[in-house]
Amino acid sequence: MNTSASTGLLTDMYELTMIDAALASGHAQRPSVFELFGRRLPAKRRYGVVAGIARALDAVEKFRFDTPELDFLRENLSLSHDTLELLGDYRFRGNILGYPEGECYFPGSPLLTVEASFAEAVLLETVLLSILNHDCAIASAASRMTTAAHGRPCLEMGARRTHEAAAVAAARAAVVAGFAGTSVLEAGRSYGLETIGTAAHSFTLLYDSEEEAFAAQVARFGPNTTLLVDTYDVERGVERAVQAARDGGGELGAVRLDSGDLIAQAFTVRNQLDELGATSTKITVTSDLDEYAIAALGAAPVDAYGVGTKVVTGSGYPTAELVYKLVARQDRDGTWQSVQKRSHSKSSLGGRKTAGRVIAENHAAVELVVSSPDPAPARAYLTSRGARPLQVPLITAGEIHEEHRDRHALARARERHLASRAELPYPAWRLSEGEPGIPTVHEVLDDHEPEVPTF
C-alpha cells in the first residue's frame, strides 16, 4: 500500500466542475455545512456501525493536488486557471465533527458534519462516502456475526473474495465490530491486528499421505497448531491429527472443519476428540459462514468461526447507503439558511444537526437529532432531554484530533462498539428483518425550544 500518495483524485469529476462554476460566479467560498448520513438502513439491518473514521481522517490529510494530479487535470479537464490554482493550494482547513468509530447509528444519524467553504467541503464528498460506505457496511455485518457468536471468537478470512485494498480495510472494520483477528498480513502490519492462519488443503495434498502433512506441520509449529482434517475422510483425519500432535510431544491445539454439515460434524468430531482423550482440542469451523449460519451453530460444540466472503461483502449489503448533502449555507448578511433536497423519495432534512441518544431504563430509547443554526442551544436541549451526546470533534480548523487515529484508536473503537451495542434494546439484536432498533426523532430549534417529546 502507498501510504503517502495523494487522495485528491479519489473524487468524481463533477466535484471539480461544480467548483469551477461556483468560483466563476463568486459562490465557491460561501460558508457551508455538509452532513453525511443514511436515509435508511439496508434491509435486515436494525442498526449500523460506524467504521472507517481513522481511514477517513488519513484521506482528508492527504487530500491535495500536487504536480502529477494538476498535470492530469490540465490535460484532461477544461478547468479555469483560478480553479487549478485553488486546487494546487488545497488543504482542508475547516471543521469535521462526527460519531466516533465503533458507535452504533440509525436512519438520519449525522455521522459526519463538515463545516467549511463550499469548495473545501464539496471536494471531500466522494472520498468520505467511499470509505464510510464500505467500512460501515462491513462493520455492520461483522457486528451481527459477533452477536450471533455469543462470545466465541470470529476470525476474518475473506481477502481472496474482494479487491486487494478493500480486503485490508475490511479486516480493520471487522475488528472494530468485535472480530478477533484476520488472515491478511497487510492488515496486521498497517493496523496492528492479530494475524491468524496455518494451512489449506493444498498443503495436505502436497504430501504422499495425510500423516506426513500433519507431521510436517506439527514439527514446524508445535502440537498447539490447528490441523485441517477434512481433505479426505474427517474421522480418519481427526485420528491422524491427534496422533501427530502426540508424536510431537503434546495435545493438539485445534482441528478445522471446512465442508459438509458443520453442525453434525461438530458434534461427531467433539465426541471423537473426547473419546481419544483430546479433551482440550478445540474446533474451528469455516465454509461460507454468515450470521445465520453462525447462529445455527450456536448449540454445536464449536470454539471459533472463520468468516470469509460474507463479512468482506457486507453479508449481502456491500454499501451502507450513506449520502453527503449540503444542509446549510451562510447568506451574504452572515445569517445561516437551511437548505434541503425535496425530490420525491430522496428528500433530506435541512439545517445543521446535533445528535444524542436518550437512555431510558438503562437502554437506548431514541436517537434524538436536533436542527439548529447554533449547536450550543441544541446541545443544551439534548442535555435537558437526558440524551448522551454522540458527536465529537474530529478535525478543528484543519487540525486532526489524533486520538481518533493513534495506535490505540482501534482498541478504543472496539470497546466503544461493544458498549454501544450492549446499550441497545433487545429487538435491535435480532437477526430477522424489522424496524430500526430505536426510532430517530427530529426536532427543530428556531427562536423557541420545541415541545418536550415523549419517549
Side-chain angles (χ1 to χ4, degrees), residues 120-136:
E120 274 192 83
V122 78
L123 273 175
L124 299 179
E125 175 181 9
T126 304
V127 71
L128 291 178
L129 284 174
S130 177
I131 291 169
L132 292 181
N133 263 317
H134 176 267
D135 288 22
C136 291

Side-chain angles (χ1 to χ4, degrees), residues 34-112:
F34 282 80
E35 287 177 350
L36 188 149
F37 62 96
R39 295 188 181 94
R40 65 189 69 85
L41 294 173
K44 299 184 180 179
R45 297 289 185 265
R46 294 178 180 241
Y47 63 89
V49 180
V50 179
I53 294 298
R55 296 204 315 117
L57 294 177
D58 286 343
V60 173
E61 183 177 60
K62 296 171 185 174
F63 201 95
R64 59 183 182 269
F65 297 85
D66 296 326
T67 300
E69 289 77 36
L70 292 172
D71 286 346
F72 170 82
L73 296 177
R74 287 191 187 94
E75 293 168 7
N76 292 277
L77 276 69
S78 299
L79 298 176
S80 69
H81 172 77
D82 288 346
T83 296
L84 291 170
E85 189 173 69
L86 180 150
L87 296 177
D89 292 336
Y90 184 89
R91 296 292 185 275
F92 183 75
R93 298 177 177 85
N95 304 319
I96 300 181
L97 292 88
Y99 282 38
E101 202 157 24
E103 185 65 78
C104 295
Y105 73 87
F106 299 90
S109 297
L111 303 192
L112 290 183

Side-chain angles (χ1 to χ4, degrees), residues 275-293:
E275 288 173 359
L276 291 170
T279 56
S280 68
T281 299
K282 298 183 182 301
I283 299 174
T284 295
V285 296
T286 53
S287 186
D288 206 28
L289 299 179
D290 61 10
E291 58 266 48
Y292 303 107

